[in-house]
Amino acid sequence: MRLRLLLLLALCGAGIRAAARSLSLRGSWRIRSGNGSLELPGEVPGCVHSALFQRNLIQDPYYRFNDLNYRWISLDNWTYSKEFKIPFDISKWQKVNLIFEGVDTVAKVLLNNVSIGKTNNMFKRYSFDITGVVKAINSIELRFQSPVLYAAQQSRAHTRYQVPPNCPPSVQKGECHVNFIRKEQCSFSWDWGPAFPTQGIWKDVRIEAYNICYLNYFTFSPLYDNRAQEWNLEIGSSFDVVSSKPVSGQVIVEIPKLQTQQTYSIELQPGKRIVELFVKINKNITVETWWPHGHGNQTGYNMTILFKLDKDLKLQKSAKVYFRTVELIEEPIEGSPGLSFYFKINGFPIFLKGSNWIPADSFQDRVNSELLRLLLQSVVDANMNTLRVWGGGIYEQDEFYELCDDLGIMVRRLKSHPSIITWSGNNENEAALMMNWYHIDFSHMGTYIKDYVKLYVKNIRKVVLAEDKTRPFITSSPTNGAESIAEGWLSANPYNTKFGDIHFYDYISDCWDWTIFPKARFASEYGYQSWPSFSTLEKVSTKEDWFYKSRFSLHRQHHENGNDQMLLQAGLHFKLPQSTDPLRAFKDTIYLTQVMQAQCVKTETEFYRRSRSEIVNGEGHTMGALYWQLNDIWQAPSWASLEYGGKWKMLHYFARHFFAPLLPVGFENQSVFFIYGVSDLRSDCNVTLTVRVHTWHSLEPLCSRATKHLVMKAGEAVLLYQERVPELLRRCGNCTRQSCVVSFSLSTDSKLLSSANYHFLSSLKEAVGLQKAHITAIISQQEDTFVFDLETSAVAPFVWLDVGNVPGRFSDNGFLMTEKTRTIFFYPWKPTSMSELEQSFRVTSLTDIY
C-alpha cells in the first residue's frame, strides 16, 4: 500500500527516543569445513579464504599459482556459527528480525537449531522474522553450499536448452556455470582475474527488535519542474507496522540551507507500508546544482526527516541531497543517418571521459575506505568525470557512491546518488546474442530472444523506470539505444556506429593508425593490455618466475595469446628488449608493454575526443570515451591503468593529459599534419598554438611557430592548424621523418593552458640520432611533497620515474623529455622518508633498452 501525502504546515523538530534496539553480530565467528576436519575463528564481514589466510593456514591466495592450489576451498561446504546473548529483555519487543546485508551465497540459516530461511543471492538483503525463535542466549549457523557445486547442480537441472557459456575459456583457469548463480560473475574467473568463488558473510549482520513500527529504509529523488521552474523532492519510506491498530503522527522534513521545512500528517495501517512525500523546495532560495568533475561544484544539502508517531515514538533519518538533472539525448544529426547518443547534465552536454570500474579485490573484506578513496581520487586526478561500473562484479558499497558524489564522478546504480547518470540492464548481452558469440543453435534463437526481453525489458526495465524517474535506462551496453528498441529490443547490428555506444578491441592492427578506430557516437569499452610494474609482481612471485615466458607469466595471463599480442603491438614501433640478463629483459619488457599500452590508448582516446564536433561519411559526434579498464583485481597483466593496490601505470599518467579539459590533438592524414583543439570548458577562450620541431640528437628546438590568437569554442573540437609534412620538414631545415619529432601546446598571454603534446613522424625503432640519455635527479622535500629536479644529456622518450613500493604518484611520468632540465613532484599517499625514496628511486627511458 502506498500512502500519498499533502503538505500541511511547518513545525519544529523534537528530541529522539530510541524506537528499536539493535545488536550487531559482526566480529568473531567459528568456521568449520564440510567434514569437520578444519575449524577456525573467522571475522564477519569476511570470507573463508580470508579467515584461512589470517590464521596462517594458507598463503596469500594471490601468491604464484595459489588460485589453482586453493580450489579445494571453494569446492567445500563450509559452516559459519556463533553463540551470542541478547543484552536486553527480548520479551518486551513485538518484532525481532535477523538481518543480513549480504550473504555469499548459497546457505541454510538456522537459529537455535531451527531453520529460519535460505539464501541464494549474494546481492540481496535478507531479513528473517525470528520473534518466536530468539532467546536470551542463542546459537546461529549458516550452512553454506559450494557455489561451484551449486551452479553445476542448477545447470544440470535446466534441461530444456543450453544457457551458454558453460565454462570460461581454458586460459582463464576458471569454474563453470557461473550464469546459474546470483553471485559476482568474475569470481569464477575472467580474462583479467582469477577464480576465487568465495563463501562467507560478506556484509553486516544484526538483530533488530522493535515495537509499534519500524522504518526499514527511505529513499529520495530530486525532480525539476521545467514548467514551474522549481525543484521538488520525492521521498519514499518503507515501514513495518507491527501494531494491531493504525499508527498516526506527523512527518517533518527539513533542509535548513534551502530554508525548506514541511510537515505532513500520516496514518499507517498494520503491515508493510510505504509512505510517499512530495516536498516543494523554497523557490526564493537559489538551489546550487551538482556537477560532474571539471564542470562545477558538487554541492549537497543536509536533510533530516523526523517521524513523530503515536505513543511518543520518534524516528529520524538524515541524508545529503543533491540536485541535478540528466537526459540521454537520442535525436537526428544533420548530415548523418542514425541518432545522437550523449548525456546532458543540468541541460548542458557533457563529454563523458573516464574508464570502467571492476571489483578492487577478489576478497571484499580487503576493500576498505582508504583503498576506495585512493582509487577514486586517482580517477579525479586523471581528469576523468565518469566510471562505467561493470556488470560482472558486485553492487558496490554505499561508500563507493558517496565518494563519487563528493568527487563528481558519474556512475551507475543507487537511486539517491546524483553521480549515477544511467542504469543499464546488462553488459554485452545484446551483442553476445545477436552476434552469436557462443555459437548457439539457431533453432533456439527465438527462445533466447524471448528470455532476453522478458528479463531485461518486461521485468528489470519496468521496475527501474517505475522506481526512478530521474535518469534514463538502457537495456544493454553496448546497445543501439532507440534503434534497438525499434528493432524489438535487439538490434541486428549492435555495434552500429551511428547509434548508441560501442565496444572496440583490435590487438593486431597498428594502434598508431587512427583510421582503424570506429568513429562512433560513444565508446564505452576499448583498450590494450600491459603488465604491472615489477615491484607489484615481486610480492606474489619468486626469482624463477621473472622472465616473460616463465610458467608464472603464462599462468597469470588470462587473455588468449595476450602476451604475444603485447609484443606484436610493441614491435610495430619499438625495438624489443635484447638484454641477455633474464631479469633485466623482463623488467624492460614490462616497461615496454606499458609504453605500448599508454601510446595506443592515447591515440584512440584522442581520436574519440577530436570526433565530438564533426561528421565524416555519416559518422562522428562522439560524446564519450571510457577505456577498459580502470583498476586491477590482482597482480597480473590486464587492460588496467591502475595496478592492484592503486599504483599508477604509464597509461594513467597519459590519461591525465588526454582527458585534460583543454587539449591539442595532432594526427596525420595523407601526409598532412593536423592539430585540433578540444575543449570541455563551458566558455570560449582565446589561445595561441605553438608548434615546435625537435631533432632526436639535440635538446634545442630546431624550429618553432606560434599562431595568432585562435578562438577555442566551448564544448567543441575545432581545427587549429594544418600543414603538409614534407613542407613542415623542409621549413625546419635539416629534418627527416626519422630524425625529428613534433611537439605542440596551447597558451594565452604566455601562460601555458595545456601540457605539451607530441606527434611521432615515424616509428621510434626507425629513429635516427636518438642517443642514450643519462638522466640524473636531485631530490628535495617541500613539506609533504618531494621535488625531483631532473637533468638529461639527450632527448629521452617515455621517461619513467619509479619508486618501487613507496605509495604515491608523480605530477607527470612517461613523458617525452626534449629539454635539458625538468622538475617533477612526487605526492606520497603515506608518510615517507627521504632515505626511503632515494633508495627506491629508478629512472628509465626508451634509450635504456635500445
Side-chain angles (χ1 to χ4, degrees):
M1 174 184 176
R2 294 179 183 272
L3 186 62
R4 300 187 181 275
L5 304 172
L6 299 176
L7 173 65
L8 293 181
L9 52 102
L11 293 176
C12 294
I16 307 301
R17 181 175 64 84
R21 292 295 301 267
S22 180
L23 172 65
S24 174
L25 297 183
R26 295 168 69 104
S28 182
W29 286 54
R30 298 295 297 176
I31 301 176
R32 186 174 68 251
S33 61
N35 63 7
S37 62
L38 189 60
E39 187 168 350
L40 66 151
E43 288 297 306
V44 169
C47 69
V48 175
H49 287 81
S50 294
L52 292 168
F53 178 55
Q54 288 159 5
R55 292 286 160 176
N56 296 315
L57 295 172
I58 62 172
Q59 296 174 308
D60 181 349
Y62 288 158
Y63 183 72
R64 300 194 77 204
F65 309 100
N66 281 345
D67 54 320
L68 297 184
N69 296 336
Y70 296 155
R71 285 187 66 193
W72 61 271
I73 300 172
S74 300
L75 295 173
D76 204 348
N77 301 317
W78 297 85
T79 296
Y80 272 63
S81 62
K82 183 181 181 72
E83 293 186 353
F84 63 94
K85 295 180 180 179
I86 302 292
F88 49 85
D89 187 349
I90 204 72
S91 65
K92 293 183 178 180
W93 299 91
Q94 292 173 282
K95 183 76 171 281
V96 184
N97 285 338
L98 173 62
I99 299 172
F100 292 93
E101 294 295 341
V103 176
D104 180 17
T105 294
V106 181
K108 183 178 180 180
V109 185
L110 296 94
L111 183 66
N112 301 324
N113 294 318
V114 176
S115 177
I116 59 172
K118 296 180 179 181
T119 71
N120 62 6
N121 189 330
M122 178 182 181
F123 311 117
K124 183 178 177 182
R125 177 182 186 265
Y126 286 92
S127 180
F128 300 111
D129 184 350
I130 58 171
T131 308
V133 182
V134 68
K135 303 174 183 177
I137 301 177
N138 302 272
S139 63
I140 184 173
E141 272 194 353
L142 274 76
R143 298 175 184 171
F144 285 89
Q145 181 180 356
S146 160
V148 178
L149 301 181
Y150 172 84
Q153 182 185 79
Q154 294 298 107
S155 176
R156 288 193 300 270
H158 190 277
T159 58
R160 288 192 298 132
Y161 53 89
Q162 288 284 316
V163 181
N166 290 325
C167 298
S170 59
V171 70
Q172 292 182 18
K173 309 163 189 71
E175 305 292 357
C176 299
H177 309 298
V178 68
N179 47 6
F180 277 92
I181 184 171
R182 285 295 292 145
K183 177 175 172 60
E184 179 184 21
Q185 295 291 281
C186 64
S187 68
F188 276 45
S189 82
W190 217 263
D191 55 4
W192 37 257
F196 283 112
T198 47
Q199 298 177 50
I201 304 170
W202 73 293
K203 288 188 177 182
D204 190 40
V205 54
R206 64 187 183 277
I207 303 282
E208 294 281 1
Y210 51 92
N211 292 327
I212 306 174
C213 72
Y214 180 74
L215 177 60
N216 293 313
Y217 65 84
F218 87 110
T219 63
F220 51 90
S221 299
L223 301 171
Y224 187 70
D225 186 333
N226 284 296
R227 187 173 61 180
Q229 294 189 333
E230 65 182 13
W231 284 99
N232 302 304
L233 194 63
E234 284 190 353
I235 301 176
S237 304
S238 171
F239 286 90
D240 180 17
V241 182
V242 295
S243 170
S244 59
K245 298 178 181 180
V247 178
S248 300
Q250 293 180 326
V251 187
I252 303 171
V253 179
E254 186 174 13
I255 309 175
K257 285 194 174 181
L258 295 180
Q259 297 182 19
T260 297
Q261 185 175 333
Q262 297 177 14
T263 302
Y264 309 79
S265 289
I266 62 172
E267 184 176 82
L268 301 172
Q269 299 296 323
K272 305 291 185 183
R273 293 292 177 261
I274 293 178
V275 174
E276 292 184 340
L277 309 177
F278 189 78
V279 180
K280 288 184 174 293
I281 304 301
N282 190 335
K283 291 183 66 173
N284 298 321
I285 301 297
T286 299
V287 175
E288 293 186 30
T289 50
W290 180 96
W291 287 95
H293 175 65
H295 291 272
N297 297 325
Q298 292 74 52
T299 304
Y301 297 90
N302 293 324
M303 174 182 71
T304 59
I305 177 168
L306 173 64
F307 296 87
K308 300 173 64 176
L309 304 175
D310 293 342
K311 299 183 180 180
D312 198 31
L313 179 62
K314 296 183 177 70
L315 309 171
Q316 181 171 294
K317 292 288 184 179
S318 59
K320 183 161 280 190
V321 182
Y322 301 86
F323 296 86
R324 68 97 183 91
T325 63
V326 57
E327 305 166 80
L328 173 57
I329 307 299
E330 296 181 89
E331 61 187 13
I333 300 174
E334 184 178 352
S336 173
L339 299 172
S340 65
F341 192 88
Y342 68 93
F343 291 87
K344 280 186 176 181
I345 307 296
N346 302 325
F348 187 80
I350 303 287
F351 188 102
L352 305 193
K353 50 187 184 180
S355 190
N356 284 258
W357 173 273
I358 66 167
D361 206 296
S362 297
F363 312 106
Q364 282 299 307
D365 50 295
R366 293 183 176 185
V367 181
N368 55 30
S369 301
E370 181 183 11
L371 177 60
L372 284 178
R373 177 164 284 280
L374 187 156
L375 295 174
L376 293 176
Q377 185 62 52
S378 293
V379 170
V380 170
D381 289 345
N383 289 309
M384 301 180 188
N385 61 27
T386 304
L387 286 179
R388 178 177 176 267
V389 180
W390 179 69
I394 62 169
Y395 293 104
E396 284 293 343
Q397 54 189 280
D398 288 344
E399 186 170 6
F400 172 87
Y401 293 98
E402 289 164 2
L403 285 167
C404 288
D405 292 343
D406 290 342
L407 295 170
I409 305 168
M410 297 182 286
V411 292
R412 300 175 171 177
R413 193 175 73 87
L414 293 172
K415 179 178 178 180
S416 300
H417 292 280
S419 53
I420 298 120
I421 59 167
T422 187
W423 306 84
S424 178
N426 65 72
N427 173 72
E428 296 186 333
N429 287 11
E430 179 180 349
L433 183 57
M434 299 309 290
M435 301 174 77
N436 201 15
W437 289 1
Y438 301 115
H439 312 292
I440 61 175
D441 185 341
F442 275 98
S443 65
H444 293 304
M445 181 61 79
T447 300
Y448 291 122
I449 291 175
K450 183 179 178 181
D451 284 354
Y452 180 96
V453 173
K454 182 177 181 180
L455 175 59
Y456 296 117
V457 180
K458 295 182 178 179
N459 282 284
I460 294 176
R461 180 178 182 272
K462 182 180 179 181
V463 170
V464 168
L465 294 181
E467 292 294 326
D468 185 5
K469 307 178 185 68
T470 69
R471 55 181 64 83
F473 176 91
I474 55 176
T475 308
S476 185
S477 176
T479 181
N480 284 349
E483 175 63 18
S484 292
I485 296 174
E487 294 183 42
W489 302 102
L490 288 151
S491 180
N493 177 19
Y495 282 8
N496 191 326
T497 56
K498 299 177 180 66
F499 299 94
D501 64 324
I502 58 99
H503 293 178
F504 178 80
Y505 296 98
D506 182 350
Y507 310 112
I508 306 303
S509 302
D510 182 358
C511 76
W512 287 25
D513 177 9
W514 58 267
T515 64
I516 71 171
F517 305 127
K519 208 172 183 71
R521 305 295 193 226
F522 194 111
S524 55
E525 275 193 29
Y526 60 95
Y528 295 83
Q529 279 199 325
S530 73
W531 275 81
S533 61
F534 180 75
S535 61
T536 295
L537 290 170
E538 189 178 17
K539 301 173 186 175
V540 292
S541 59
T542 63
K543 187 176 181 179
E544 65 187 271
D545 302 324
W546 298 339
F547 62 99
Y548 199 69
K549 294 186 181 295
S550 70
R551 178 174 164 239
F552 173 80
S553 296
L554 294 174
H555 174 79
R556 224 64 177 187
Q557 175 58 266
H558 282 198
H559 170 61
E560 192 73 47
N561 299 319
N563 289 348
D564 291 340
Q565 289 170 353
M566 280 185 272
L567 294 186
L568 172 67
Q569 191 63 239
L572 294 177
H573 297 287
F574 305 102
K575 296 176 184 177
L576 298 181
Q578 299 297 319
S579 176
T580 57
D581 177 1
L583 180 57
R584 171 66 187 274
F586 186 47
K587 290 181 178 180
D588 287 349
T589 303
I590 288 172
Y591 163 80
L592 196 59
T593 67
Q594 291 207 17
V595 170
M596 175 275 296
Q597 179 196 39
Q599 188 66 21
C600 287
V601 178
K602 172 185 186 290
T603 304
E604 187 168 358
T605 305
E606 291 182 344
F607 168 74
Y608 294 137
R609 290 200 68 190
R610 66 177 168 85
S611 297
R612 69 176 291 170
S613 302
E614 66 181 13
I615 293 292
V616 178
N617 298 324
E619 297 179 320
H621 274 222
T622 307
M623 284 297 288
L626 309 176
Y627 67 77
W628 184 269
Q629 67 205 64
L630 176 74
N631 53 313
D632 261 334
I633 200 169
W634 71 330
Q635 307 92 334
S638 78
W639 294 258
S641 62
L642 297 177
E643 299 179 5
Y644 177 76
K647 184 174 182 177
W648 287 29
K649 285 184 179 178
M650 192 178 294
L651 171 56
H652 210 78
Y653 287 101
F654 274 42
R656 194 162 185 267
H657 294 293
F658 61 62
F659 281 144
L662 207 60
L663 175 70
V665 176
F667 65 98
E668 280 187 56
N669 189 18
Q670 298 180 345
S671 294
V672 178
F673 177 54
F674 298 89
I675 297 177
Y676 273 49
V678 182
S679 173
D680 285 332
L681 304 179
R682 297 181 61 185
S683 58
D684 298 349
C685 63
N686 296 318
V687 301
T688 296
L689 172 68
T690 302
V691 182
R692 295 183 176 90
V693 177
H694 312 258
T695 62
W696 287 119
H697 67 267
S698 174
L699 289 167
E700 294 296 327
L702 188 62
C703 66
S704 178
R705 172 178 285 183
T707 67
K708 296 180 180 179
H709 284 302
L710 303 170
V711 177
M712 287 281 294
K713 302 293 290 184
E716 291 188 14
V718 296
L719 177 64
L720 300 179
Y721 179 92
Q722 70 179 75
E723 186 175 8
R724 288 186 56 79
V725 174
E727 184 179 322
L728 173 66
L729 297 175
R730 189 164 49 248
R731 175 171 59 82
C732 289
N734 185 24
C735 205
T736 67
R737 279 185 174 273
Q738 291 72 31
S739 65
C740 290
V741 61
V742 182
S743 71
F744 43 94
S745 59
L746 299 173
S747 60
T748 180
D749 299 328
S750 299
K751 180 183 178 183
L752 202 63
L753 290 178
S754 75
S755 56
N757 206 342
Y758 55 84
H759 175 70
F760 297 129
L761 296 167
S762 73
S763 296
L764 270 72
K765 67 181 180 181
E766 300 168 353
V768 174
L770 194 59
Q771 303 168 5
K772 181 172 177 58
H774 297 280
I775 303 173
T776 59
I778 297 176
I779 308 174
S780 59
Q781 188 170 1
Q782 295 178 358
E783 297 181 346
D784 295 332
T785 301
F786 293 89
V787 182
F788 287 69
D789 289 311
L790 306 177
E791 184 172 322
T792 182
S793 63
V795 174
F798 304 106
V799 175
W800 183 245
L801 312 178
D802 188 40
V803 289
N805 289 315
V806 177
R809 72 166 180 88
F810 289 94
S811 57
D812 198 7
N813 216 341
F815 47 82
L816 172 65
M817 193 167 180
T818 57
E819 64 280 4
K820 187 175 182 63
T821 62
R822 184 164 183 174
T823 299
I824 300 292
F825 300 95
F826 180 75
Y827 309 109
W829 293 330
K830 294 180 178 179
T832 302
S833 67
M834 176 70 78
S835 60
E836 183 181 10
L837 207 63
E838 290 175 334
Q839 291 171 8
S840 303
F841 177 66
R842 299 290 184 275
V843 59
T844 305
S845 80
L846 194 68
T847 64
D848 292 320
I849 67 172
Y850 278 14

